[in-house]
Amino acid sequence: MAKRVKDLTTIQLTTQTRDRLYRLKFRRTYDEFLQELCDAYERSEKGGPG
């Protein structure tokens, strides 16, 4: 039987940062939101359109 395994980790955030992320991620998972945030940051570092 195949076992579904997710590679997960934890990060530590202040309560203020966690609450701010919660408000910003509207209707997405934290993972989806953080992936979008990372993509946007990488595009801005390359000088591409944001």
Side-chain angles (χ1 to χ4, degrees):
M1 178 181 284
K3 185 177 178 181
R4 185 175 175 187
V5 177
K6 287 187 175 185
D7 293 326
L8 299 175
T9 187
T10 59
I11 58 173
Q12 294 183 345
L13 304 170
T14 64
T15 302
Q16 180 182 10
T17 301
R18 183 204 59 211
D19 292 347
R20 189 173 177 199
L21 277 171
Y22 179 79
R23 287 190 305 273
L24 291 171
K25 75 168 192 76
F26 185 69
R27 293 189 185 227
R28 293 175 287 214
T29 66
Y30 282 107
D31 191 68
E32 290 168 334
F33 177 72
L34 291 171
Q35 287 290 332
E36 291 174 17
L37 186 62
C38 289
D39 292 345
Y41 179 80
E42 288 172 348
R43 282 192 305 270
S44 73
E45 287 293 300
K46 294 177 183 175

